[in-house]
Amino acid sequence: MEIVNNIDSIRQKLACSRRQGKSIGLVPTMGFLHEGHLSLVRRAAKENDIVVVSIFVNPTQFGPQEDFESYPRDLERDALLAEEAGANFIFYPTVGEMYPQKYETFVEVTELTKELCGRSRPGHFRGVTTVVTKLFNIILPDKAYFGQKDAQQAIVIQQMVRDLNQNVEICVCPIIREKDGLAMSSRNTYLTPEEREQSTVLSASLEMAQQMIENGERDAERIRKAMEELILSKDKARIDYVEIVSAHNLKPVQVLSGKCLIALAVKFGATRLIDNIMVTVAQ
Amino acid sequence: MEIVNNIDSIRQKLACSRRQGKSIGLVPTMGFLHEGHLSLVRRAAKENDIVVVSIFVNPTQFGPQEDFESYPRDLERDALLAEEAGANFIFYPTVGEMYPQKYETFVEVTELTKELCGRSRPGHFRGVTTVVTKLFNIILPDKAYFGQKDAQQAIVIQQMVRDLNQNVEICVCPIIREKDGLAMSSRNTYLTPEEREQSTVLSASLEMAQQMIENGERDAERIRKAMEELILSKDKARIDYVEIVSAHNLKPVQVLSGKCLIALAVKFGATRLIDNIMVTVAQ
């Protein structure tokens, strides 16, 4: 496995593989890899001849009050884990390499980004779609792998790929959880032991919602309220949102029907955690 | 030469050429081809194995009060001219093919587009950069050809290609003029005979500016004023702007130095014409 910092060199190396007819899979990450990321890398390795893991803590997707500076970083450990999982290249550019002087071009998905996380993180998705477009143009992957954990991100990126006719297949992979249910996230390392313990309420609330739906509940507000109540039973939890939306347009539904996304964002101390499940209700 | 309406089919046809190692040149146009366009097609034919001329009157780059509906169209004539000039394909998609239901993704260059035409045509360049990105992703050209006539457009697109790491070389080709100096444009057909006669003042004002600079004038305001005076000597002319800007950031200069763009937009009746010259003044 090779770590490449420079756009021109990764292009050259991949052009060589491409000329040999090799397929390329891209796993875009912000590093500090966990089992969630590694499940993407393993799947990419199964489905492609060459796997590129990009590691780039992308400043344009962080708000001014957010954790860009403190976001955890550990390239050495990431390199070992990525190689073990089947990566051939880590693309690890500097901020200056990705956003040179006088940078001023952005890709924006305008509607889907107004919902859910878009409301509390203005500009976040513009940063994501911009950097992902850049990575697609640099790596030219056949397939790119994203986690269902960032459900809205995956939907926004699929919209962008469709709208801009980008030449890549988007593969969305299941959420990987800790044994106690907490969705894996690099940000989990921020949690104090107490917050960590309380944080299991998030997956528990989603399981409860699923159970309610299996028991025949179709009223979104009743499910939502029950989830909020359970979450707020933990004294460290501050809810950003708990929403039940159509998986197609991310707009809230009143009565569950078709493919719905149940998504939440909750802060424990300064740490904002997200989680979700996708449910399909016969219409 | 072949006319292709459909994104999937043009992709398939070009993938075939690409596999044979053939280079592809793209000339994006809105059709109603004139010698300006044809000079781009001829240059593309010289420099590439395959030339694609796209003809698409792009609704997203027209303002609500602009001439999208009335923009001149003549596919049959365009096809003959493009083939003669060396085109292998005309890509001629419908609006629905390029902007399907629930389209919502846009590419925006934020700073350069605030100047010159960006001021009187809000949203115009967002439409241009979006459709050009789509065309790049569909055609995957090695080189794409744009006219210096649309000087700001060329500069904005070069910025976008750099910022988003798009895999295409941008070639900017000289303005082609009528015998009396008027820069060729599909919109010239809108002019009444009287407006057409008066419109030669635009190129004349640029020539005068060039002459003043050759005679040692370096004060931008004096040149600008003289140009405005000459243009307004024609009673049908209404100035949108006459500006002298740095070719790097499109910001107005006070003293000419380095590479400067002298650009103007003037309305004759309902017809908005643009023209420009690039001058380089020893620093």
Side-chain angles (χ1 to χ4, degrees):
Chain A
M1 196 194 63
E2 209 175 325
I3 301 178
V4 184
N5 300 93
N6 178 277
I7 293 172
D8 286 340
S9 0
I10 190 80
R11 274 183 163 153
Q12 268 173 31
K13 286 170 201 288
L14 294 173
C16 193
S17 306
R18 206 172 291 111
R19 249 179 273 118
Q20 296 162 26
K22 291 186 177 165
S23 63
I24 297 170
L26 170 66
V27 183
T29 82
M30 300 207 300
F32 213 72
L33 303 182
H34 52 64
E35 273 302 309
H37 300 111
L38 298 174
S39 72
L40 306 181
V41 179
R42 286 188 208 104
R43 174 151 167 217
K46 235 182 241 162
E47 299 181 353
N48 300 274
D49 301 315
I50 301 284
V51 175
V52 181
V53 175
S54 64
I55 296 182
F56 181 61
V57 185
N58 173 36
T60 65
Q61 73 189 69
F62 287 81
Q65 304 307 319
E66 291 182 3
D67 56 342
F68 172 67
E69 291 298 339
S70 60
Y71 197 88
R73 293 158 166 91
D74 188 345
L75 178 63
E76 218 171 303
R77 184 170 161 277
D78 287 348
L80 289 171
L81 292 171
E83 178 159 29
E84 226 172 69
N88 304 91
F89 294 98
I90 289 183
F91 177 53
Y92 182 69
T94 62
V95 171
E97 181 77 1
M98 291 294 273
Y99 299 109
Q101 288 257 309
K102 300 188 182 173
Y103 187 94
E104 56 166 305
T105 307
F106 297 91
V107 177
E108 192 151 21
V109 174
T110 59
E111 302 308 313
L112 292 169
T113 58
K114 289 179 178 154
E115 312 298 332
L116 303 176
C117 289
R119 227 172 279 125
S120 34
R121 304 188 72 189
H124 167 67
F125 287 112
R126 186 176 92 141
V128 169
T129 45
T130 299
V131 80
V132 168
T133 291
K134 286 171 64 67
L135 290 169
F136 287 171
N137 287 336
I138 294 165
I139 307 297
L140 299 173
D142 298 283
K143 297 182 180 189
Y145 297 81
F146 295 87
Q148 174 61 25
K149 160 79 172 357
D150 300 296
Q152 186 176 12
Q153 172 177 281
I155 290 170
V156 165
I157 286 171
Q158 284 169 316
Q159 180 76 31
M160 168 182 79
V161 166
R162 187 200 81 142
D163 283 354
L164 294 185
N165 311 102
Q166 292 174 333
N167 298 282
V168 57
E169 183 186 329
I170 301 302
C171 307
V172 182
C173 305
I175 298 178
I176 306 296
R177 298 179 179 282
E178 303 287 355
K179 278 190 188 137
D180 63 6
L182 179 65
M184 291 205 183
S185 163
S186 307
R187 289 189 170 101
N188 292 348
T189 53
Y190 296 152
L191 297 169
T192 65
E194 197 187 2
E195 291 165 352
R196 174 66 187 82
E197 207 189 308
Q198 294 195 3
S199 67
T200 58
V201 76
L202 303 185
S203 58
S205 75
L206 291 166
E207 270 170 37
M208 182 190 65
Q210 183 126 47
Q211 198 55 62
M212 287 174 79
I213 294 162
E214 278 168 23
N215 294 343
E217 183 62 82
R218 293 293 179 269
D219 184 280
E221 197 51 20
R222 272 203 294 268
I223 300 170
R224 237 181 45 71
K225 285 286 179 212
M227 292 176 66
E228 288 195 347
E229 205 170 298
L230 182 62
I231 292 167
L232 291 176
S233 72
K234 303 293 177 184
D235 68 324
K236 301 287 175 207
R238 284 184 301 130
I239 291 175
D240 179 353
Y241 65 78
V242 174
E243 286 202 59
I244 305 181
V245 299
S246 152
H248 300 296
N249 58 20
L250 301 184
K251 302 268 186 212
V253 297
Q254 295 194 307
V255 176
L256 273 80
S257 165
K259 207 173 168 193
C260 296
L261 174 69
I262 309 183
L264 55 80
V266 174
K267 275 190 154 183
F268 288 86
T271 307
R272 187 174 176 278
L273 301 179
I274 59 174
D275 200 350
N276 69 86
I277 53 170
M278 210 56 112
V279 295
T280 303
V281 177
Q283 284 173 307
Chain B
M1 197 193 64
E2 212 176 323
I3 301 177
V4 184
N5 300 93
N6 178 277
I7 293 173
D8 287 340
S9 0
I10 191 82
R11 275 183 163 152
Q12 270 173 31
K13 287 170 201 289
L14 295 174
C16 191
S17 307
R18 208 173 289 110
R19 249 179 272 118
Q20 295 162 24
K22 290 186 177 166
S23 63
I24 297 170
L26 169 65
V27 183
T29 81
M30 299 208 300
F32 213 72
L33 304 182
H34 51 62
E35 273 303 309
H37 301 112
L38 298 175
S39 72
L40 306 180
V41 179
R42 285 189 208 104
R43 174 150 166 218
K46 235 182 243 163
E47 299 181 353
N48 301 272
D49 300 316
I50 301 283
V51 175
V52 180
V53 175
S54 65
I55 296 183
F56 181 59
V57 184
N58 173 36
T60 65
Q61 73 189 69
F62 287 81
Q65 306 306 321
E66 291 182 2
D67 57 342
F68 173 66
E69 291 298 339
S70 61
Y71 197 86
R73 293 156 165 94
D74 188 345
L75 178 63
E76 218 171 303
R77 185 169 159 277
D78 286 349
L80 288 170
L81 293 171
E83 178 160 28
E84 228 174 67
N88 303 91
F89 295 99
I90 289 184
F91 178 52
Y92 181 69
T94 62
V95 171
E97 182 78 1
M98 291 294 273
Y99 299 108
Q101 288 256 308
K102 298 185 182 173
Y103 188 95
E104 57 167 304
T105 307
F106 297 91
V107 177
E108 193 150 20
V109 174
T110 58
E111 302 308 313
L112 291 169
T113 58
K114 288 178 180 156
E115 312 298 331
L116 303 175
C117 289
R119 226 171 281 125
S120 36
R121 305 189 71 188
H124 167 67
F125 286 112
R126 186 175 93 143
V128 169
T129 45
T130 299
V131 81
V132 168
T133 292
K134 284 170 67 66
L135 290 169
F136 288 170
N137 287 336
I138 293 164
I139 307 298
L140 298 173
D142 299 281
K143 298 183 180 187
Y145 297 80
F146 294 88
Q148 174 60 24
K149 159 78 172 0
D150 300 296
Q152 187 176 12
Q153 171 177 282
I155 289 170
V156 165
I157 286 171
Q158 285 169 317
Q159 180 77 30
M160 169 181 79
V161 166
R162 186 201 81 143
D163 283 354
L164 294 184
N165 311 102
Q166 293 175 333
N167 298 281
V168 57
E169 183 186 327
I170 302 301
C171 307
V172 181
C173 306
I175 298 178
I176 306 296
R177 298 179 178 283
E178 303 287 354
K179 278 191 187 137
D180 63 6
L182 179 65
M184 290 206 187
S185 163
S186 308
R187 289 190 171 100
N188 292 350
T189 54
Y190 296 152
L191 298 168
T192 66
E194 197 186 0
E195 289 165 354
R196 173 65 188 81
E197 207 189 308
Q198 293 195 5
S199 67
T200 56
V201 76
L202 302 185
S203 57
S205 76
L206 291 166
E207 270 170 38
M208 181 189 66
Q210 182 126 45
Q211 198 55 61
M212 287 173 79
I213 294 162
E214 278 169 23
N215 293 346
E217 183 61 81
R218 294 291 179 268
D219 185 278
E221 199 50 21
R222 271 204 293 269
I223 299 170
R224 236 181 47 70
K225 286 286 181 212
M227 290 176 68
E228 287 194 347
E229 205 172 298
L230 182 61
I231 292 166
L232 292 176
S233 72
K234 303 294 174 180
D235 68 326
K236 301 286 174 204
R238 283 183 302 132
I239 292 175
D240 177 355
Y241 66 77
V242 173
E243 288 202 58
I244 305 180
V245 299
S246 151
H248 301 296
N249 58 20
L250 301 184
K251 301 268 187 214
V253 298
Q254 294 193 307
V255 177
L256 274 80
S257 167
K259 208 173 167 191
C260 295
L261 174 68
I262 308 183
L264 55 82
V266 175
K267 274 188 153 185
F268 287 86
T271 307
R272 187 174 176 279
L273 301 178
I274 59 174
D275 200 350
N276 70 84
I277 52 171
M278 210 56 113
V279 293
T280 303
V281 177
Q283 283 172 306

